[in-house]
Amino acid sequence: MTIRTALVPVAEIFDLRRSVLRPGFPPEDAVFPEDALPDSFHVAAYDEDGALTACVTFFPEAFPERTAPMADAPAYRFRGMASAPAVRGRGHGAAVLRAGLDRAAEHGARLVWCNGRTSARGFYERQGFTAVGEEFDLPPIGPHYVFAITVGGAGDGSP
């Protein structure tokens, strides 16, 4: 199985992001203010037939856990990570995440973080992320953790 990743305009990933992360909500609920920031970038994954299978958006944002080690390191955040249901567990989400982490490190990030759904904790931990702080609720989506990883030769992966 071949998974190809690419940097793409947000329009390329919007429908997948909306259908997976905001089903039943108005389309504008899947538009993020960070989409248009000058240093934001969007990563897509495609299967061998060229079908879009996964996506994520990265942008510079300071790490919110101010007491954590590396809290002052240059940081990127990601959000809007989604995989098509038909390819879950087959590496497509991991592929866009890894491509995004590499790109964020190229942009000077030393720490990358997200507000990740509690149900995805195992996925993030398998990718080398650490849950930081306590679980919290993001209505109407549900329970989340802050997950973080060091990048760019900044350490062992732990924030």
Side-chain angles (χ1 to χ4, degrees):
M1 168 184 63
T2 302
I3 302 170
R4 181 178 63 85
T5 62
L7 295 176
V8 298
V10 70
E12 175 83 10
I13 64 170
F14 185 77
D15 286 341
L16 178 63
R17 178 200 286 175
R18 186 181 60 76
S19 69
V20 171
L21 300 178
R22 301 291 192 272
F25 288 89
E28 57 271 12
D29 282 7
V31 175
F32 303 147
E34 300 87 1
D35 286 339
L37 293 175
D39 291 328
S40 292
F41 60 90
H42 314 280
V43 183
Y46 302 89
D47 66 14
E48 41 295 304
D49 296 324
L52 177 66
T53 58
C55 64
V56 66
T57 296
F58 281 77
F59 50 92
E61 186 172 315
F63 190 52
E65 301 291 333
R66 302 311 309 158
T67 60
M70 294 208 48
D72 293 326
Y76 260 68
R77 177 181 172 194
F78 66 93
R79 67 184 297 195
M81 187 167 166
S83 294
V87 301
R88 289 207 185 119
R90 296 185 186 169
H92 295 257
V96 293
L97 182 57
R98 286 285 151 210
L101 292 173
D102 291 346
R103 179 76 172 192
E106 290 170 8
H107 282 247
R110 293 297 168 255
L111 183 74
V112 175
W113 67 278
C114 73
N115 291 329
R117 295 173 195 232
T118 298
S119 61
R121 184 174 184 163
F123 169 80
Y124 288 119
E125 289 176 344
R126 285 190 301 277
Q127 303 308 312
F129 283 78
T130 301
V132 181
E134 300 296 319
E135 184 181 59
F136 60 95
D137 191 56
L138 277 179
I141 303 166
H144 283 65
Y145 280 97
V146 170
F147 292 100
I149 190 170
T150 57
V151 296
D156 67 356
S158 300

